Each structure stands twice: as structure tokens, then as C-alpha cells.
Amino acid sequence: MRVIILLLVATGIGYWYWNRQNSIDEESVARFYDTATEHVLNGRGKDLCAMLTKDFTRTGVNSTSQGRIQENADKEETCDKYNKMFASLAQAERQGGVSTNYQVAIEQIEISKDRKSAEVKVATNISMALGPVGRIAETRDKSSETLVIRNGKLMLQKSEGSAITRTIGDRF
């Protein structure tokens, strides 16, 4: 009898753990974006890339002083863009005086009924400043993103958004 009770308790704990690891809640979404922010601020492109699903897609429009640019990218293209961006930032920081600011605001979270995916509306702002010159570039982005659970890990599957990029010649 004791063995059966212990077995039932162990099964219950295992089910709870498995269900918790394989479902999304608002806290796990917030942790996801906190982790992504940490990776961005520390220039960890590979870690950021590992947060994307294999079938990740990014679509959006970036408005610049040169006009509107339609952007479409899969995981490979996005990871390549991350690596180039972080390499450029590292080089600029080595030359001195460049600082980066990155902020994410979660505006809305809609979790699916089965708790396996979530639609998240986020606003991001990344800016670079150069010593006495001040801000030299800024991008503000509003996106609707799809997060999914894959093998117990929360990952970004899809991002659709629009951005405005300003550089030193533009008015801030």
C-alpha cells in the first residue's frame, strides 16, 4: 500500500513538473524577454539565436530617412544579422566612447488555451551614443511575436512589426 501511495505521489509530482515545463504563463514570457535583453546588452548573438525556432520568420517595415524598407528574414538570415550587428558594436566600443541602450516593453500577452503558444505585443528601443556627440542612432520597433514551447523551452517562432530608424543626420 505504501508503495502505491509513493508511486501516485511521484506520478503527480512528475505530471506537475512536466506540465509546468511545457506550458506558457505571463511570468515565463517576461523571463524570456529579460533573457533576450541580457543577451542583446552583452552582445551574445549565439545565445540570442538559440532562442529562435528552426522555422523562425521575421517580417516588417523599417522606415528610415532614405524611405521604407521591407524586411523578410528566416532564422539563418536573422542570426547572420545579429552576428554582424554585435561585431560592429564590439568594434565601435573598442574604438571608445560608444554606449548602447536597449529597452523592451511588453504591451500585451495572449496565451493560447492549451498554453503551448502566446502572442506578445512588444515595443523595443535601441539607441547608440558617442561620447560628447550624444545619440548617433536609434531604432524604435513595435512587433507582434509568437512564442512557442519546444522540448520544454520557450522560443520565438515569428515576429511581425514595424520600425523607425534615425541616425545622426536625422532629427531625434
Side-chain angles (χ1 to χ4, degrees):
M1 185 63 147
R2 255 177 137 171
V3 172
I4 292 173
I5 291 172
L6 287 173
L7 187 59
L8 288 173
V9 169
T11 302
I13 291 171
Y15 175 77
W16 173 82
Y17 180 76
W18 173 259
N19 192 41
R20 179 145 170 84
Q21 288 294 99
N22 289 290
S23 64
I24 299 174
D25 58 20
E26 288 188 9
E27 185 179 313
S28 64
V29 170
R31 275 194 317 269
F32 178 87
Y33 285 101
D34 287 346
T35 301
T37 298
E38 184 180 315
H39 293 330
V40 168
L41 291 174
N42 292 298
R44 296 193 298 246
K46 285 185 180 184
D47 293 332
L48 200 56
C49 199
M51 298 176 76
L52 307 177
T53 61
K54 289 180 183 177
D55 59 342
F56 171 79
T57 58
R58 163 86 177 143
T59 58
V61 175
N62 190 359
S63 298
T64 69
S65 59
Q66 280 80 40
R68 296 166 53 94
I69 302 165
Q70 177 68 40
E71 297 177 337
N72 300 304
D74 60 12
K75 180 177 181 173
E76 184 178 328
E77 294 164 327
T78 301
C79 292
D80 186 51
K81 193 172 186 177
Y82 288 159
N83 292 334
K84 287 177 181 174
M85 176 182 72
F86 290 128
S88 294
L89 287 173
Q91 181 179 2
E93 287 174 6
R94 280 192 301 275
Q95 292 173 351
V98 174
S99 62
T100 304
N101 182 28
Y102 180 75
Q103 299 170 334
V104 176
I106 299 172
E107 297 180 339
Q108 182 181 357
I109 302 171
E110 285 185 35
I111 299 171
S112 66
K113 289 183 181 181
D114 66 359
R115 303 184 75 76
K116 304 292 183 209
S117 66
E119 294 296 321
V120 184
K121 294 196 183 315
V122 294
T124 60
N125 184 14
I126 186 165
S127 61
M128 289 176 42
L130 180 61
V133 175
R135 272 189 301 187
I136 57 173
E138 178 180 54
T139 298
R140 294 181 182 186
D141 181 274
K142 289 218 178 236
S143 297
S144 179
E145 301 187 333
T146 303
L147 301 179
V148 295
I149 289 282
R150 297 275 168 91
N151 298 320
K153 185 177 177 184
L154 191 56
M155 302 181 82
L156 180 59
Q157 181 180 42
K158 181 176 164 185
S159 180
E160 297 175 335
S162 61
I164 298 173
T165 299
R166 295 184 177 119
T167 56
I168 198 166
D170 304 328
R171 285 183 28 190
F172 279 102

